[in-house]
Amino acid sequence: MARRPARADPGGAERRSGVLKIGAALAVVLVAQALLALCLVSAQQLLVPRNMPFGVTGPPSPVVAAVASRGGLDLTSYPDESAVMDAAGRGELYGAYLGQKSSDTLVVVPAKSFFAQTELEPAFLAAAHKLDRPVTVRKVAPLASGDPVGAVTSLLLLPLLIGGYLAAVLVFKAAHGVAAAPWRAAILIGYALVGALLTDLIAGPGIGAYSSSHFWPLLPCFWLITSAVALAAAAVQALAGKLGTLLVAVLFIVVGGPPAGGLGTYLLPVYWRNIGVLLPPQNAVTLVNHVLYFDGNDITTPLIVLFLYAAAATAVIAWFGRVRPARAATGTGAPQLPSPSPGRTAGAPGRRRAVIGMLAALAVCTVMQSLFATTYMSAGHAPKASDLPFGAVGSSPVLAAAEKNISLKVTEYPDEAAARTAMDEARIFGALVPSGGSDTLIVVPSMSDLAPLDLAVRFEEAARATGHRLQVRQYAPLPLVAKDPFGLVQALMLVPLLIGGYMSSTLLMAATGRAAGRWRAAQLAGFAVVSGLVVDLIVCYWLQGFPSSRFWITWPICSLIVAVVAFVAAILQKLLGPIGTLVTVVLMILLGNPSSGGASGVPYLPAFWRDLGPYLPPRNGYILLHHTIYFDGHGTSQALINLLIYLGVAAAVLIVLDLSRTEAEVPTDATEAAAVSVPIGAVP
């Protein structure tokens, strides 16, 4: 019997193609999210001195030998005190030790790295005390009042780096993929000046992160940094097309951002420091820091690197935009005739549309760069405690004296055990336990990376003023793991979770050509489960960023955060189209992430950010992660309820929108969508 011919199934082929596109889009997001988590956490989870430049002079000191024996310092001998002080003043050293006959001097350089100072000073003072050697501390290049922990340099990198990158991406889109148009370099350099000026105005005179005397010296630095990034991105686009935008995002943002070294390059793992020196972000941080605090000394290397990036990129753009087309035209031998008049007339509206599109793209970029400069700088440049929850067991004049210099919200406890219970439940950041003429200050390092140091400094000052003895002790319900001594990991891993959430929705929109679909909620929920597992595996087992006993409870929390952000992004994209991605970025990254409190803690946020945080997912996600890992889930009820409300309402709305049949196609290129969404917020 003759075999019947198989019937064509165009619908089935189309469905299979759609499934493959969706799978490929989500795989791209998963890889980007995993790479971002790996880079961010591995670069910054363990910030300790590594081959840190340190000067010594005078007779050999047993104090230096005791500290150096633990490793981490690269000692350089200087002939006299003047030479070592000059080197410290130029920003070449993180500290120095001046050996003398009767007493020694420890030189610290806070502007080089505030966190390096917090490592070096206690180590040297403890060693000197043990060896019964008198030591005085001298500061070189102290930090400004508007930058008490040295955060300004790294915060300035955010708008400069992301502004330059987005300018290249959005101009490329507005030019319909013509990456090497001859005018493109000039436009990007012009935008870089505008972006640099706005960043300088916002951070300096606007917010007061640095004095007005630094406005003009920093402006050309900002211009160079933004130009180098924008031009390099445009050059890679000229070489690799649309894929070039994603490549630059990976190189400059995902890989280049974490080793920028805003907290001190010699606190980074050695391999990350060596990677960073080849890329613009680390050179940008060094340039800005040395202009801001070291009178522009020792900036030759970062200037050369940034100028090389800008010059090489300009040459590539010129080659593809002018030289190669001109040679190709000459090689044909065809005469170059002027276009006829009708062609010119027909082309005029197109040119006007291109110009309008370009201006609109640059306007969007200007707004985004200004927002990054405003939000992150205003939230984090000068952390100062306000109503810091604190416990007291009995009365002490030390507490009254300390409250003159730090804002505390004091709760009385009947005994030390009750105070420790409050610490176990994440209700207080520390406690004072008086005992006769000697008081004990208990601090909780797993609550905050900044509060223990802040409390110790203020209470030690108060103890000296009142003539009391003070002992400082650390206490944590679950001690910080060896590879997360400052409790930074949860704040770092929050970033890839947020980005993975809205990036998954964005690339699904690009892959399907629609902002929603019948199975969109299920697809995003499935991705959230997998991506939460991947981030959890990388941070817990690969990087050992938190105790393995918390692996299983951390997985659903990570997935919950991803799902909430993904559902919100999908709703906004359904209602607003591709611009919904930008709105999501504003809500989750520009407003939500700065208001999360991060590793320093909510009490160190300014009032606006402290009050805003509870209404947005990032604050709730961070508290749920952090308190579950280090405080057995105490104090997480409100955060969990808020996230579940977000999830339930967003899922219901998204399902209703998915079932509607009024969906219009959204023309979005997948590579372009990935390139735009990857870098936002990826620089810590």
Side-chain angles (χ1 to χ4, degrees), residues 3-80:
R3 184 177 297 173
R4 298 177 61 184
R7 289 183 297 177
D9 185 14
E14 185 177 344
R15 283 193 297 273
R16 286 192 295 273
S17 175
V19 169
L20 289 175
K21 286 182 179 180
I22 290 171
L26 294 180
V28 168
V29 180
L30 201 59
V31 170
Q33 188 180 33
L35 182 61
L36 182 54
L38 179 63
C39 293
L40 270 178
V41 177
S42 65
Q44 301 187 44
Q45 70 183 115
L46 185 58
L47 297 174
V48 294
R50 295 177 171 93
N51 302 328
M52 183 173 285
F54 191 86
V56 293
T57 189
S61 170
V63 176
V64 175
V67 177
S69 65
R70 305 171 198 170
L73 298 183
D74 182 11
L75 301 179
T76 301
S77 295
Y78 289 84
D80 52 41

Coordinates of all heavy atoms in Angstrom, one line a residue, residues 3-80:
R3 N 2.5 4.8 0.7 CA 2.6 5.6 1.9 C 2.0 7.0 1.7 O 2.3 7.6 0.7 CB 4.0 5.6 2.3 CG 4.2 6.4 3.7 CD 5.7 6.4 4.1 NE 6.1 5.0 4.3 CZ 7.4 4.7 4.5 NH1 8.3 5.6 4.5 NH2 7.7 3.4 4.7
R4 N 1.2 7.4 2.6 CA 0.6 8.8 2.4 C 1.6 9.8 2.7 O 2.4 9.7 3.7 CB -0.6 8.9 3.4 CG -1.7 7.9 3.1 CD -2.8 8.1 4.1 NE -3.5 9.4 4.0 CZ -4.4 9.8 4.9 NH1 -4.8 9.0 5.8 NH2 -4.9 11.0 4.7
P5 N 1.7 10.9 1.9 CA 2.7 11.9 2.2 C 2.4 12.6 3.5 O 1.2 12.9 3.8 CB 2.5 12.8 0.9 CG 1.1 12.6 0.5 CD 0.9 11.1 0.7
A6 N 3.5 13.0 4.2 CA 3.3 13.7 5.5 C 2.8 15.1 5.2 O 3.3 15.8 4.2 CB 4.7 13.7 6.2
R7 N 1.9 15.5 6.0 CA 1.4 16.9 5.9 C 2.3 17.9 6.5 O 2.9 17.6 7.6 CB 0.0 17.0 6.5 CG -1.1 16.2 5.7 CD -2.4 16.4 6.3 NE -2.5 15.9 7.6 CZ -3.6 16.0 8.4 NH1 -4.7 16.6 8.0 NH2 -3.6 15.4 9.6
A8 N 2.4 19.0 5.9 CA 3.3 20.1 6.4 C 2.6 20.6 7.7 O 1.4 20.7 7.8 CB 3.4 21.2 5.4
D9 N 3.5 21.0 8.6 CA 3.0 21.5 9.9 C 3.7 22.8 10.2 O 4.6 22.8 11.1 CB 3.3 20.4 11.0 CG 2.7 20.9 12.4 OD1 1.9 21.8 12.4 OD2 3.1 20.3 13.4
P10 N 3.4 23.8 9.5 CA 4.1 25.1 9.7 C 3.9 25.6 11.1 O 4.8 26.2 11.7 CB 3.5 26.0 8.7 CG 2.1 25.4 8.3 CD 2.4 23.9 8.5
G11 N 2.7 25.4 11.7 CA 2.5 25.8 13.1 C 3.5 25.2 14.1 O 4.0 25.8 15.0
G12 N 3.7 23.9 13.9 CA 4.6 23.1 14.8 C 6.0 23.6 14.6 O 6.7 23.8 15.6
A13 N 6.5 23.9 13.4 CA 7.8 24.4 13.2 C 8.0 25.8 13.8 O 9.0 26.1 14.4 CB 8.1 24.5 11.7
E14 N 6.9 26.6 13.7 CA 7.0 27.9 14.3 C 7.0 27.8 15.8 O 7.8 28.6 16.5 CB 5.8 28.7 13.9 CG 5.8 30.2 14.3 CD 4.6 31.0 13.8 OE1 3.9 30.5 12.9 OE2 4.4 32.0 14.4
R15 N 6.3 26.9 16.4 CA 6.3 26.7 17.9 C 7.7 26.3 18.3 O 8.2 26.7 19.3 CB 5.2 25.7 18.3 CG 3.8 26.3 18.3 CD 2.9 25.4 19.1 NE 2.7 24.1 18.4 CZ 1.8 23.9 17.4 NH1 1.0 24.9 17.0 NH2 1.8 22.7 16.9
R16 N 8.3 25.3 17.6 CA 9.6 24.8 18.0 C 10.6 25.9 17.9 O 11.5 26.0 18.7 CB 10.0 23.6 17.1 CG 9.3 22.3 17.4 CD 9.9 21.2 16.7 NE 9.8 21.3 15.2 CZ 8.7 20.8 14.6 NH1 7.7 20.2 15.2 NH2 8.7 20.9 13.2
S17 N 10.5 26.7 16.8 CA 11.4 27.9 16.7 C 11.3 28.8 17.8 O 12.3 29.4 18.4 CB 11.2 28.6 15.4 OG 12.0 29.7 15.3
G18 N 10.0 29.1 18.2 CA 9.8 30.0 19.4 C 10.3 29.5 20.6 O 10.9 30.2 21.4
V19 N 10.2 28.1 20.9 CA 10.7 27.5 22.1 C 12.2 27.7 22.1 O 12.8 28.0 23.2 CB 10.3 26.1 22.2 CG1 11.0 25.4 23.3 CG2 8.8 26.0 22.4
L20 N 12.9 27.4 21.0 CA 14.3 27.5 20.9 C 14.8 29.0 21.2 O 15.8 29.2 21.9 CB 14.8 27.1 19.5 CG 14.7 25.6 19.2 CD1 15.1 25.3 17.8 CD2 15.6 24.8 20.2
K21 N 14.1 29.9 20.7 CA 14.4 31.3 20.9 C 14.3 31.7 22.4 O 15.2 32.4 23.0 CB 13.5 32.3 20.1 CG 13.8 32.3 18.6 CD 12.9 33.3 17.9 CE 13.3 33.3 16.4 NZ 12.4 34.3 15.7
I22 N 13.2 31.2 23.0 CA 13.0 31.5 24.4 C 14.1 30.8 25.2 O 14.7 31.4 26.2 CB 11.6 31.0 24.8 CG1 10.5 31.9 24.2 CG2 11.5 31.0 26.4 CD1 9.1 31.4 24.4
G23 N 14.4 29.6 24.9 CA 15.5 28.9 25.6 C 16.8 29.6 25.5 O 17.6 29.7 26.5
A24 N 17.1 30.0 24.3 CA 18.4 30.7 24.0 C 18.4 32.0 24.8 O 19.5 32.4 25.4 CB 18.6 30.9 22.6
A25 N 17.3 32.8 24.8 CA 17.3 34.0 25.5 C 17.5 33.9 27.0 O 18.3 34.6 27.6 CB 16.0 34.7 25.3
L26 N 16.8 32.9 27.6 CA 17.0 32.7 29.0 C 18.4 32.1 29.4 O 18.9 32.4 30.4 CB 15.9 31.7 29.5 CG 14.5 32.3 29.5 CD1 13.5 31.3 30.0 CD2 14.4 33.6 30.3
A27 N 19.0 31.3 28.4 CA 20.3 30.8 28.7 C 21.3 32.0 28.7 O 22.3 32.0 29.5 CB 20.7 29.8 27.6
V28 N 21.1 33.0 27.8 CA 22.0 34.1 27.8 C 21.9 34.9 29.1 O 22.9 35.3 29.7 CB 21.6 35.1 26.6 CG1 22.3 36.4 26.8 CG2 22.0 34.5 25.3
V29 N 20.7 35.0 29.6 CA 20.5 35.7 30.9 C 21.2 34.9 32.0 O 21.9 35.5 32.9 CB 19.0 35.9 31.2 CG1 18.9 36.6 32.6 CG2 18.3 36.7 30.2
L30 N 21.0 33.6 32.0 CA 21.6 32.8 33.1 C 23.1 32.9 33.1 O 23.8 33.0 34.1 CB 21.2 31.4 32.9 CG 21.2 30.4 34.1 CD1 20.4 31.0 35.2 CD2 20.8 29.0 33.7
V31 N 23.7 32.9 31.9 CA 25.2 33.0 31.8 C 25.7 34.3 32.3 O 26.6 34.4 33.0 CB 25.7 32.7 30.3 CG1 27.1 33.1 30.2 CG2 25.4 31.3 29.9
A32 N 25.0 35.4 31.8 CA 25.4 36.8 32.3 C 25.2 36.9 33.8 O 26.1 37.5 34.4 CB 24.5 37.8 31.5
Q33 N 24.1 36.4 34.3 CA 23.9 36.5 35.8 C 25.0 35.7 36.5 O 25.5 36.2 37.6 CB 22.5 35.9 36.1 CG 22.1 36.1 37.5 CD 20.7 35.6 37.7 OE1 20.3 34.6 37.1 NE2 19.9 36.2 38.6
A34 N 25.3 34.5 36.1 CA 26.3 33.7 36.7 C 27.7 34.4 36.7 O 28.4 34.4 37.7 CB 26.4 32.3 36.1
L35 N 28.0 34.9 35.5 CA 29.3 35.6 35.4 C 29.4 36.8 36.3 O 30.4 37.1 36.9 CB 29.5 36.0 33.9 CG 30.8 36.7 33.6 CD1 32.0 35.8 33.9 CD2 30.9 37.1 32.1
L36 N 28.3 37.6 36.3 CA 28.3 38.8 37.2 C 28.4 38.4 38.7 O 29.2 39.0 39.4 CB 27.0 39.5 37.0 CG 26.8 40.8 37.7 CD1 28.0 41.8 37.5 CD2 25.5 41.5 37.3
A37 N 27.7 37.4 39.1 CA 27.8 36.9 40.5 C 29.2 36.5 40.8 O 29.8 36.8 41.9 CB 26.8 35.8 40.8
L38 N 29.8 35.7 39.9 CA 31.1 35.2 40.1 C 32.2 36.3 40.2 O 33.0 36.3 41.1 CB 31.5 34.2 39.0 CG 32.9 33.6 39.0 CD1 33.1 32.7 40.2 CD2 33.2 32.8 37.7
C39 N 32.1 37.3 39.3 CA 33.0 38.4 39.3 C 32.9 39.3 40.5 O 33.8 39.6 41.2 CB 32.9 39.2 38.0 SG 33.3 38.3 36.5
L40 N 31.6 39.7 40.8 CA 31.4 40.7 41.9 C 31.8 40.1 43.2 O 32.6 40.7 44.0 CB 29.9 41.0 41.9 CG 29.4 42.2 41.1 CD1 27.9 42.4 41.3 CD2 30.1 43.5 41.6
V41 N 31.4 38.9 43.5 CA 31.6 38.3 44.8 C 33.1 37.9 45.0 O 33.7 38.2 46.0 CB 30.7 37.1 45.1 CG1 31.0 36.5 46.4 CG2 29.2 37.5 45.0
S42 N 33.7 37.3 43.9 CA 35.1 36.8 44.1 C 36.0 38.0 44.2 O 37.1 37.9 44.9 CB 35.5 35.9 42.9 OG 35.4 36.7 41.7
A43 N 35.7 39.1 43.6 CA 36.6 40.3 43.6 C 36.5 41.0 45.0 O 37.6 41.5 45.4 CB 36.3 41.2 42.5
Q44 N 35.4 41.0 45.6 CA 35.2 41.9 46.8 C 34.8 41.2 48.1 O 34.6 41.9 49.1 CB 34.2 43.0 46.4 CG 34.6 43.8 45.2 CD 33.7 45.0 44.9 OE1 33.4 45.7 45.8 NE2 33.4 45.2 43.7
Q45 N 34.7 39.9 48.1 CA 34.2 39.3 49.3 C 35.3 39.3 50.4 O 34.9 39.3 51.6 CB 33.8 37.8 49.0 CG 34.9 36.9 48.7 CD 34.4 35.5 48.3 OE1 34.6 35.1 47.2 NE2 33.8 34.8 49.2
L46 N 36.5 39.3 50.0 CA 37.6 39.2 51.0 C 38.6 40.3 50.7 O 39.6 40.1 50.0 CB 38.3 37.8 50.9 CG 39.4 37.5 51.9 CD1 38.8 37.6 53.3 CD2 40.0 36.1 51.7
L47 N 38.4 41.5 51.3 CA 39.2 42.6 51.1 C 40.2 42.7 52.2 O 39.9 43.2 53.3 CB 38.4 43.9 51.0 CG 37.3 44.0 49.9 CD1 36.5 45.2 50.0 CD2 38.1 44.0 48.5
V48 N 41.4 42.2 51.9 CA 42.5 42.3 52.9 C 43.8 42.7 52.2 O 43.9 42.6 51.0 CB 42.8 40.9 53.6 CG1 41.6 40.5 54.4 CG2 43.1 39.8 52.5
P49 N 44.8 43.3 52.9 CA 46.0 43.7 52.2 C 46.7 42.5 51.5 O 46.9 41.5 52.0 CB 46.9 44.2 53.4 CG 45.9 44.6 54.5 CD 44.8 43.6 54.3
R50 N 47.1 42.8 50.2 CA 47.8 41.9 49.4 C 48.9 42.6 48.7 O 48.7 43.4 47.8 CB 46.9 41.2 48.4 CG 45.7 40.4 49.0 CD 44.8 39.8 48.0 NE 43.9 38.8 48.4 CZ 42.6 39.1 48.8 NH1 42.2 40.4 48.8 NH2 41.8 38.2 49.2
N51 N 50.2 42.4 49.1 CA 51.3 43.1 48.5 C 51.2 44.6 48.6 O 51.5 45.3 47.7 CB 51.6 42.6 47.1 CG 51.8 41.1 47.0 OD1 52.3 40.5 47.9 ND2 51.3 40.5 45.9
M52 N 50.6 45.0 49.7 CA 50.3 46.5 49.8 C 51.5 47.3 50.0 O 52.3 47.0 50.9 CB 49.3 46.6 51.0 CG 48.8 48.1 51.2 SD 47.5 48.1 52.4 CE 46.1 47.4 51.5
P53 N 51.7 48.3 49.2 CA 52.9 49.2 49.3 C 53.0 49.9 50.7 O 52.0 50.6 51.1 CB 52.8 50.2 48.2 CG 51.9 49.5 47.2 CD 51.0 48.7 48.0
F54 N 54.0 49.7 51.4 CA 54.2 50.2 52.8 C 55.6 50.6 53.0 O 56.5 49.9 52.7 CB 53.8 49.1 53.8 CG 53.6 49.6 55.2 CD1 52.4 50.2 55.6 CD2 54.7 49.6 56.1 CE1 52.2 50.6 56.9 CE2 54.5 50.1 57.4 CZ 53.3 50.6 57.8
G55 N 55.8 51.8 53.5 CA 57.1 52.4 53.7 C 57.6 52.2 55.1 O 56.9 52.3 56.0
V56 N 59.0 52.1 55.2 CA 59.6 52.0 56.5 C 60.9 52.9 56.5 O 61.5 53.0 55.4 CB 60.0 50.6 56.9 CG1 58.7 49.8 57.2 CG2 60.8 49.9 55.9
T57 N 61.2 53.4 57.6 CA 62.5 54.2 57.7 C 62.9 54.1 59.2 O 62.2 53.8 60.1 CB 62.3 55.6 57.3 OG1 63.6 56.3 57.2 CG2 61.4 56.4 58.3
G58 N 64.2 54.4 59.4 CA 64.8 54.3 60.7 C 65.3 52.9 61.0 O 65.3 52.0 60.1
P59 N 65.7 52.6 62.3 CA 66.2 51.3 62.6 C 65.1 50.3 62.5 O 64.0 50.5 62.6 CB 66.6 51.5 64.1 CG 65.9 52.7 64.6 CD 65.7 53.6 63.4
P60 N 65.5 49.0 62.2 CA 64.6 47.9 62.1 C 63.7 47.8 63.3 O 64.2 47.9 64.5 CB 65.4 46.7 61.9 CG 66.7 47.2 61.3 CD 66.9 48.6 62.0
S61 N 62.4 47.7 63.1 CA 61.5 47.7 64.3 C 60.8 46.3 64.4 O 60.4 45.7 63.4 CB 60.4 48.7 64.1 OG 59.3 48.5 65.0
P62 N 60.8 45.7 65.6 CA 60.1 44.5 65.8 C 58.6 44.6 65.6 O 58.0 43.6 65.3 CB 60.4 44.1 67.3 CG 60.8 45.4 67.9 CD 61.4 46.3 66.9
V63 N 58.1 45.8 65.7 CA 56.6 46.0 65.4 C 56.3 45.7 64.0 O 55.4 45.0 63.6 CB 56.2 47.4 65.8 CG1 54.7 47.6 65.5 CG2 56.4 47.7 67.3
V64 N 57.2 46.3 63.1 CA 57.0 46.0 61.6 C 57.2 44.6 61.3 O 56.4 44.0 60.6 CB 58.0 46.9 60.8 CG1 57.9 46.6 59.3 CG2 57.7 48.4 61.0
A65 N 58.2 44.0 61.9 CA 58.4 42.5 61.7 C 57.2 41.7 62.1 O 56.9 40.7 61.4 CB 59.7 42.1 62.4
A66 N 56.6 42.0 63.3 CA 55.5 41.3 63.8 C 54.3 41.4 62.8 O 53.6 40.4 62.6 CB 55.1 41.7 65.2
V67 N 54.0 42.6 62.3 CA 52.9 42.7 61.4 C 53.1 42.1 60.1 O 52.3 41.5 59.5 CB 52.5 44.2 61.3 CG1 51.3 44.4 60.3 CG2 52.1 44.8 62.7
A68 N 54.4 42.4 59.5 CA 54.7 41.9 58.2 C 54.8 40.4 58.1 O 54.6 39.8 57.1 CB 56.0 42.5 57.8
S69 N 55.0 39.8 59.3 CA 55.1 38.3 59.3 C 53.8 37.6 58.9 O 53.8 36.5 58.5 CB 55.6 37.8 60.6 OG 54.7 38.1 61.6
R70 N 52.7 38.4 59.1 CA 51.4 37.8 58.7 C 51.2 37.9 57.2 O 50.1 37.4 56.7 CB 50.3 38.5 59.5 CG 50.5 38.5 61.0 CD 49.5 39.4 61.7 NE 49.9 39.8 63.0 CZ 49.4 40.7 63.8 NH1 48.3 41.4 63.3 NH2 49.8 41.0 65.0
G71 N 52.0 38.6 56.5 CA 51.9 38.8 55.0 C 51.0 40.0 54.7 O 50.4 40.6 55.6
G72 N 50.9 40.3 53.4 CA 50.1 41.3 53.0 C 50.7 42.7 52.7 O 50.1 43.5 52.1
L73 N 52.0 42.9 53.2 CA 52.6 44.2 53.1 C 53.9 44.0 52.2 O 54.6 43.0 52.3 CB 53.1 44.7 54.4 CG 51.9 45.1 55.4 CD1 52.5 45.7 56.6 CD2 50.9 46.0 54.8
D74 N 54.0 45.0 51.3 CA 55.2 45.0 50.4 C 56.1 46.2 51.0 O 55.8 47.4 50.7 CB 54.8 45.3 49.0 CG 56.0 45.3 48.0 OD1 57.2 44.9 48.5 OD2 55.9 45.7 46.9
L75 N 57.1 45.9 51.8 CA 57.9 46.9 52.5 C 58.9 47.5 51.6 O 59.6 46.8 50.8 CB 58.6 46.3 53.7 CG 57.6 45.6 54.7 CD1 58.5 45.0 55.9 CD2 56.6 46.6 55.3
T76 N 59.0 48.8 51.6 CA 60.0 49.6 50.9 C 60.7 50.5 51.9 O 60.1 51.3 52.6 CB 59.4 50.5 49.8 OG1 58.7 49.6 48.9 CG2 60.5 51.2 49.1
S77 N 62.1 50.4 52.0 CA 62.9 51.3 52.9 C 63.1 52.6 52.3 O 63.4 52.7 51.1 CB 64.2 50.6 53.2 OG 63.9 49.4 53.9
Y78 N 63.1 53.6 53.1 CA 63.4 55.0 52.7 C 64.5 55.6 53.5 O 64.6 55.2 54.7 CB 62.1 55.9 52.8 CG 61.1 55.6 51.7 CD1 60.2 54.5 51.9 CD2 61.0 56.3 50.5 CE1 59.2 54.2 51.0 CE2 60.0 56.0 49.6 CZ 59.2 54.9 49.8 OH 58.2 54.6 48.8
P79 N 65.3 56.5 53.0 CA 66.5 56.9 53.7 C 66.1 57.8 54.9 O 66.9 57.8 55.9 CB 67.3 57.8 52.7 CG 66.2 58.2 51.7 CD 65.3 57.0 51.6
D80 N 65.0 58.5 54.9 CA 64.7 59.3 56.0 C 63.2 59.6 56.1 O 62.5 59.2 55.2 CB 65.5 60.7 56.0 CG 65.3 61.4 54.7 OD1 64.2 61.4 54.1 OD2 66.3 61.9 54.2

